[in-house]
Amino acid sequence: MRSNKILLPVAVLILSLSCAFAWIHDPGDQIAALLTRYATRYPQEKVHLHLDRNYYAAGDTLNFKAYVVTAANNELSDTSKILYVDLADANQGYFTTLSYRLDAGTASGTIEIPDTLKAGNYTISAYTNWMKNFGQEYFYHAGLKIGRTGDSGTTAPKGIAAREDQIYFFPEGGNLVDQLVSVIGFKAVDNQGKGTGVSGTVVDESGKNIVSFRPAYAGMGRFNLKPESGHHYTAVVKFSDGTTQNVPLPQIAGSGYVLTVDNQDRNEIRVTASYRGKTAGHSALLIAQANHQVINITNVSFVNNTASIALKRRDFPTGITQLTLFDAAGEPTAERLIFVNRQDQLRLQLTGLKAATAGTSQKVTLRVTDALANPVNGEFSVAVLDQSVVGDSLKIPSIMADLLLTSDLKGTVENPDDYFNNKAPEMAMMLDNLMITQGWRRFKWKDLLTGKDPLLLYPAEKEQSLRGTLRSKKNQPIPNGKILLVSKAASAFTLTSFTDSQGRFIFNLPGEFEQQQFNLIASDASGNSDVKITIDSQGPVLPQATAGPAFLPANAENHLKSYLKVKDEFFNAGSPQPRQLKEVLIKSKQVTLTEKALAASANLNGAGNADQVLTYKDLNNCSDLEMCLQGKLTGVYFKTVKDPNSNAYKKVPYSAGGMDKPMLVVLDGVPVPAGMSTLNNIPAVNVQSIEVLRTGSKLVVYGMEASGGALIITTKKGGIDYNAINEPRTNSKEPVSGFMTLSYNGYHKSREFYNPPASAQGGRNSRSPETVFWKAHLRSNDDGQATFEFVGGSNLKKAVIIIEGLSADGKIGYLYQQQTF
């Protein structure tokens, strides 16, 4: 056995590989180096959300703390600076994406659930832009139940066709091979995708019973089978609803490898590799890796076509490890996931809680230590819930189960925390069944070994940005196109971008915005503005949702009904009665085309209050704005000057009485810096109005920058029939070519959770079903201690306290504690 091997230089190793993947150097070194290269170039991120609870009523506020970590070691990641959170119902009739700023791998925020939201099952997802490159299997997903006060709490999704109960079979290692005993894992699921009870028998083509099976936990189980070529095996399965199915087992290969793992010993992980084929006495290679980090490389020598390998458990980190067997030709032939729990995570302990009079202050000390009882400095979040509302078995996916287990498995894992909290001896085997039935790979070995890199479409975001594509009317991408971005808010600015060969553009936005209004003005390389602008969606396109969101506990329905009843009583008490308002009749006069053209003006003197006004009607057949305006503007002349940035010549407007200073150009309310004031940057076809300010009374509001005069230019906003000669009867809703007005959502403005001060008289005088206490940021000091204080409501008798967090070296801390007062 060899472990902790020194890696050869990556460049040499890559050159040594061909598409046929012939071993030239030591194969173990090559694979280790390629894994290291992949991990360095494509660092994986994971996200966990600590939710204050997992069921809500419409109108509630969801509180969360996000932890974004590197997959290799669970340390807080600094790769991405923006987190996206989606909330969608099971039918996708409702979908929203919010973004939050990440600071050193953490973010805290709220999601305000609309009070008009329909009751149902919802899924909350969280991810970074970088994670979108590798598929949604990387995203955080959790299920929520949302109800409406006054209803029955029934939240079954509608419009989704019910599926039949199904069962799936998974040969350990990947294949059934003739004459080689294999472990076959299976998982039975009901029409909601949850594990269900079954009973079954494997029979051959003659109907002979070979082996019987039943699931051990969550519809999962295993049985042994020694297949023989020439036979066909079928599982006769009876489901809990009484229906039966005949399911063929996977086909039998005439030759190949079988990989079997015994992961139950406290000190060793025992691996058995079996082979059937022509080659005898040959060697193979067993590689153990977790998140692209090589843990162990073992040369495997077969004796009588069987090899046994003992791996030291102490060499493995806590979490999922992938075991892959390579044959002599360097082809991956069998694979298996295992879970190792070193019991090396953080220990959290609370002191200071006391059985006092309800409603009094509780000053609590959190003590954090590592597995060796050393104090630990870490980042945590705390939720205190009223147990009478949430029930005895509230199950929110913990940071422990999320980062160590579910984030590396395909599909939904039911009750993942049971694998950590349930100390029964049989749970270790149940966890191993999960590894067999839901194991998967984050990459393809063939791509890795041939140096084929994943296609990166989404960069790791360090700042807020706006991305999109410029296309022609025939929907072809426009390379070398020009886009001008004009900010509409108080933090006014303009930016210019050019499209790449695929017509894509990007604006890296200065500052941090919660919401911002932008105008985009675009043209192709020749200045033609007959183009279309499309903006990338912040969120991904989700696949068809399933009927049952992940992680919903079986009893969430009953807890939700109780919660809705309490909430309904709370808000109905003393609520004001509605009253009818008197009818108000609003009259308006007919608006002229010129008034409509000036309606969007940001002129600080007032729309149209200028020395001269031009509208789009005055610019018909005008392609060059500099040439077009010469002779049209009263009291304005143009000088030809050399642009110091591009060395090109441009015409700059001057007012006749402007003390030989160039006129200030204000575009959609934003003063354009002098170095960017080339009028031809603005396509004439996009101009809706131009207001000329020359006299002192009109210029004083703009200060010294406008001492030479000013041109107030407003671009087209739509809503006007720009081809009409006379007054139109209705407004045209046709989009304007080369122009877009958009609202950039930016960072979501979260509400701050109200924690009553300890001095509050009597605490909460009436019980609210809301979370009693929430603190998103709680840091333990060098002594491993942190304190927090909460005031329970007058009716708070029992509470559930949930604390989650991480140390600087990626060790996970989790505490679920029930407390009686």
Side-chain angles (χ1 to χ4, degrees), residues 601-624:
S601 169
N603 188 345
L604 297 180
N605 297 292
N609 189 358
D611 295 298
Q612 183 185 0
V613 173
L614 277 69
T615 70
Y616 59 90
K617 295 186 295 181
D618 301 303
L619 302 176
N620 285 337
N621 303 316
C622 180
S623 59
D624 186 322

Side-chain angles (χ1 to χ4, degrees), residues 15 85 98 121 142 238 284 301 313 336 369 377 453 514 539 596 619 671 678 696 705 725 738 783 813:
L15 292 174
V85 179
L98 304 173
N121 291 332
K238 184 177 181 179
S301 296
R313 188 174 295 276
R336 172 75 144 83
T369 59
N377 184 299
D453 293 336
E514 291 179 347
K596 289 181 177 180
L619 302 176
T678 302
E705 290 187 10
I725 298 176
D783 294 327

Side-chain angles (χ1 to χ4, degrees), residues 324-470:
T324 308
L325 185 70
F326 292 84
D327 63 16
E331 292 290 335
T333 61
E335 196 161 76
R336 172 75 144 83
L337 295 190
I338 62 171
F339 187 89
V340 175
N341 192 345
R342 296 282 306 279
Q343 304 292 336
D344 57 351
Q345 302 306 308
L346 302 179
R347 274 61 167 169
L348 307 185
Q349 183 180 11
L350 294 179
T351 59
L353 289 165
K354 53 186 180 296
T357 304
T360 59
S361 173
Q362 295 282 340
K363 189 171 184 179
V364 185
T365 298
L366 170 67
R367 177 166 172 76
V368 184
T369 59
D370 62 16
L372 300 176
N374 298 308
V376 172
N377 184 299
E379 173 75 22
F380 300 91
S381 45
V382 183
V384 180
L385 309 174
D386 188 336
Q387 190 173 355
S388 65
V389 178
V390 302
D392 294 330
S393 56
L394 176 70
K395 293 185 178 179
I396 302 173
S398 74
I399 189 172
M400 185 89 71
D402 204 359
L403 296 184
L404 296 179
L405 184 64
T406 58
S407 58
D408 287 320
L409 291 178
K410 188 175 183 178
T412 299
V413 179
E414 296 178 52
N415 303 325
D417 286 286
D418 285 356
Y419 298 107
F420 296 89
N421 299 332
N422 192 331
K423 304 303 182 183
E426 61 269 18
M427 286 308 295
M429 182 61 73
M430 307 304 101
L431 179 55
D432 203 50
N433 289 338
L434 181 68
M435 296 297 102
I436 295 176
T437 57
Q438 292 190 215
W440 69 298
R441 295 180 301 187
R442 290 181 178 270
F443 61 91
K444 295 180 180 179
W445 276 113
K446 182 179 179 181
D447 291 345
L448 181 79
L449 298 176
T450 57
K452 182 180 179 181
D453 293 336
L455 180 62
L456 297 181
L457 298 177
Y458 307 99
E461 294 177 308
K462 300 298 184 182
E463 56 190 339
Q464 290 180 310
S465 62
L466 188 67
R467 295 175 172 83
T469 305
L470 196 62

Side-chain angles (χ1 to χ4, degrees), residues 697-711:
S697 60
K698 304 291 192 301
L699 294 172
V700 65
V701 70
Y702 285 96
M704 291 301 297
E705 290 187 10
S707 58
L711 296 180

Side-chain angles (χ1 to χ4, degrees), residues 555-812:
N555 57 354
E557 192 77 52
N558 294 331
H559 295 327
L560 179 60
K561 290 179 181 179
S562 173
Y563 171 70
L564 293 175
K565 182 177 182 297
V566 173
K567 188 176 181 68
D568 196 28
E569 294 170 352
F570 178 76
F571 282 107
N572 283 341
S575 58
Q577 297 297 316
R579 59 190 180 89
Q580 182 82 24
L581 296 177
K582 294 182 179 180
E583 181 180 1
V584 177
L585 183 62
I586 300 175
K587 297 181 180 180
S588 64
K589 68 181 184 69
Q590 183 70 23
V591 181
T592 68
L593 278 177
T594 299
E595 289 172 327
K596 289 181 177 180
L598 289 168
S601 169
N603 188 345
L604 297 180
N605 297 292
N609 189 358
D611 295 298
Q612 183 185 0
V613 173
L614 277 69
T615 70
Y616 59 90
K617 295 186 295 181
D618 301 303
L619 302 176
N620 285 337
N621 303 316
C622 180
S623 59
D624 186 322
L625 196 58
E626 290 178 356
M627 295 297 295
C628 189
L629 292 181
Q630 294 184 65
K632 288 183 178 292
L633 303 182
T634 303
V636 176
Y637 64 96
F638 286 79
K639 286 185 179 181
T640 301
V641 298
K642 190 174 183 178
D643 190 331
N645 297 319
S646 64
N647 290 324
Y649 289 92
K650 62 182 181 180
K651 294 185 179 296
V652 179
Y654 285 76
S655 172
M659 300 178 293
D660 203 31
K661 293 185 61 176
M663 299 182 76
L664 172 68
V665 175
V666 179
L667 180 63
D668 288 333
V670 180
V672 180
M676 300 176 59
S677 59
T678 302
L679 290 174
N680 281 343
N681 283 344
I682 308 168
V685 71
N686 289 120
V687 175
Q688 184 160 298
S689 68
I690 299 177
E691 296 162 272
V692 184
L693 310 182
R694 292 186 291 103
T695 59
S697 60
K698 304 291 192 301
L699 294 172
V700 65
V701 70
Y702 285 96
M704 291 301 297
E705 290 187 10
S707 58
L711 296 180
I712 312 300
I713 302 177
T714 304
T715 56
K716 291 179 178 178
K717 305 299 185 292
I720 299 175
D721 183 357
Y722 294 104
N723 296 317
I725 298 176
N726 300 316
E727 298 292 340
R729 294 185 178 181
T730 58
N731 289 341
S732 168
K733 298 299 182 182
E734 292 295 322
V736 180
S737 297
F739 179 84
M740 174 182 287
T741 296
L742 61 91
S743 176
Y744 179 81
N745 290 331
Y747 294 129
H748 179 62
K749 187 175 183 179
S750 297
R751 299 177 183 175
E752 182 177 354
F753 187 89
Y754 174 65
N755 290 311
S759 59
Q761 293 296 320
R764 295 185 176 188
N765 295 321
S766 61
R767 186 185 67 175
S768 168
E770 304 291 340
T771 302
V772 174
F773 175 84
W774 169 258
K775 188 174 181 63
H777 297 280
L778 181 70
R779 175 167 285 279
S780 59
N781 58 25
D782 292 338
D783 294 327
Q785 294 188 353
T787 60
F788 61 94
E789 190 171 3
F790 68 91
V791 179
S794 59
N795 292 320
L796 181 65
K797 307 299 183 184
K798 293 183 178 180
V800 174
I801 303 173
I802 302 173
I803 304 178
E804 299 188 336
L806 292 163
S807 65
D809 61 352
K811 290 295 186 287
I812 299 171

